[in-house]
Every structure is written in structure tokens, then in C-alpha cells.
Amino acid sequence: MTEPISIDIWSDIACPWCYIGKRNLEKGLAEVATGDDAPEVEVVFHSFELSPDTPVDFDGTEIEFLAGHKGMPADQVRQMLDRVTGVAAQAGLDYDFDNLKHTNTVKAHELLHFAKEQGKQREMKERLMAAYFTEGRHVGRIDDLVALAEEVGLDAAAARDALESGRYLQAVRDDQAQAASYGINGVPFFVIDGKYGVSGAQPPEAFAQIARQVWDEHRATPA
């Protein structure tokens, strides 16, 4: 029995390149998902906060946040966001930075750990990123997060208890500590089988290639 490929992904809900990278990975894996020799893959998402000092309710636009955070002129930030929007469109994502609600993402990361225990991490990750980047939904407040959790089939009361208790905060911090131990200082970052690191939103064909390569390694290794 061949062991599945493990793909551990460090990313942030509020990282536009992370959503693009996620979609490109999915497309790449879909390219190699047919046939008797199709790779088996297990994907796990890990927490990384790009701006942990961000308030839950940031009073301003995404342009204002980035201009202040990065010290860039507003027109340069707009050009950067337009470029990202174009790349996202190529990945099939319709980013709406004008209506995006910038927020602190730690509670969203806690929710992802709760969802993982319920076998719904993949669905929760997709729902959070779509809500944030394409729908203008708030992903920093508990009430909003509970509503999104319910949309993917999680129990609302259990999700609220998980967030209000803060019992998954240590899991978030453990992910961040592991990222530091790996030397990860930017996301998205993909770790394949605990030994190959892939940085950035690579194109689908790059993910397809590495999936085939690593799967061939698995099949060549006796179980």
C-alpha cells in the first residue's frame, strides 16, 4: 500500500497570493488525478498571520491599510492590487478589494483548527477565503465566523464555544512556531512530505509536476 503524499500549507486568510496558490494547487492536483497511477494526496492547512497587530475592525479601505502598513503611496498600492486582481482572475477568482473588510485573522485560524477536528478544514478554508476576497464578508468577528462555519455544515453552537473559549489558540501558535523552525517568513508556503519546500503561488503545472515526482518516489519505496 503506497502512502499518500502529505502537503502542509502555511497561509493566511488575508493573503491574496495564498488563495491563488490554493486554487493553483487544486488545479495541478486535478491534472494528475486520473488513471490507475493517480497520486493520493493529503492536504493540511497551517496558521500564519501576516499582520497580527491588525485590529478586528479596521476603519479604512484595503488601500489605506496597505499604504500605512507598507509605507507605499496609495496609487502604487492600487497598481499592486490591480495586478493581483488580474492574476487572481487567471486562477478563476473574482477579487473585490474595494469591498474587502480588513481584519485580524487569528479567530479565523482558530476556527480552521476546530474545523479540522470535524473533518471540514478544506471546506472551511475555502469558505473563509471566498468570503473575504470575493464577497466582502467580515472574517474577524465571532458572530460572522460562526455563520460561515454553519454554511459548511459545522455545528454553530460548537463553533461558537470553540471560538469564545480560545482553546484552539495554542494550535495556532504551534503552527506559527513550526513555521519559524522551518524558516518560513512568507506565505503561501508548501511543505511536501516534510522534506520539499515550495514557496509562493506557483502555476498549476508546477504543482502537477511535483505531485507526479513525489508519487513516483512513493511507489519506488517499499511500504
Side-chain angles (χ1 to χ4, degrees):
M1 189 88 179
T2 306
E3 288 291 319
I5 299 168
S6 68
I7 302 181
D8 293 278
I9 308 171
W10 273 262
S11 65
D12 194 2
I13 304 304
C15 165
W17 294 105
C18 291
Y19 199 7
I20 294 167
K22 176 180 177 296
R23 190 61 88 245
N24 286 350
L25 171 68
E26 291 164 350
K27 289 181 178 179
L29 293 179
E31 286 181 19
V32 297
T34 58
D36 295 336
D37 61 344
E40 294 180 28
V41 181
E42 292 181 353
V43 176
V44 177
F45 293 97
H46 298 274
S47 304
F48 192 100
E49 291 178 273
L50 286 173
S51 303
D53 56 345
T54 304
V56 172
D57 291 298
F58 175 74
D59 184 19
T61 66
E62 180 72 353
I63 289 178
E64 289 168 340
F65 175 83
L66 290 172
H69 189 72
K70 294 182 177 294
M72 296 166 56
D75 59 344
Q76 188 176 345
V77 173
R78 167 56 71 185
Q79 291 174 9
M80 180 181 71
L81 294 182
D82 286 346
R83 174 174 170 263
V84 174
T85 299
V87 176
Q90 294 174 4
L93 301 170
D94 185 18
Y95 281 7
D96 184 2
F97 284 111
D98 289 335
N99 291 306
L100 183 149
K101 293 177 174 59
H102 203 87
T103 187
N104 189 290
T105 59
V106 69
K107 283 295 176 186
H109 286 296
E110 290 179 41
L111 180 59
L112 283 168
H113 281 280
F114 167 73
K116 180 184 175 184
E117 284 196 354
Q118 311 303 312
K120 291 276 190 179
Q121 191 192 45
R122 179 179 58 82
E123 295 87 345
M124 193 73 255
K125 182 75 169 184
E126 177 64 27
R127 190 69 198 93
L128 286 166
M129 298 186 99
Y132 185 72
F133 282 109
T134 73
E135 301 169 17
R137 298 274 293 269
H138 204 299
V139 300
R141 298 183 299 232
I142 288 178
D143 286 350
D144 298 275
L145 290 169
V146 169
L148 291 168
E150 198 168 17
E151 288 180 22
V152 301
L154 292 169
D155 181 80
R160 181 176 298 278
D161 178 68
L163 295 174
E164 290 180 346
S165 68
R167 67 176 179 271
Y168 291 94
L169 179 58
Q170 188 57 52
V172 174
R173 300 300 181 227
D174 289 345
D175 274 355
Q176 293 167 332
Q178 189 174 5
S181 72
Y182 280 155
I184 298 171
N185 51 27
V187 289
F189 197 92
F190 306 81
V191 177
I192 295 93
D193 276 355
K195 57 184 179 180
Y196 301 115
V198 177
S199 178
Q202 300 296 321
E205 53 268 24
F207 288 118
Q209 180 180 356
I210 194 167
R212 290 192 187 97
Q213 173 192 325
V214 176
W215 187 241
D216 287 343
E217 292 174 7
H218 279 225
R219 293 194 301 163
T221 303

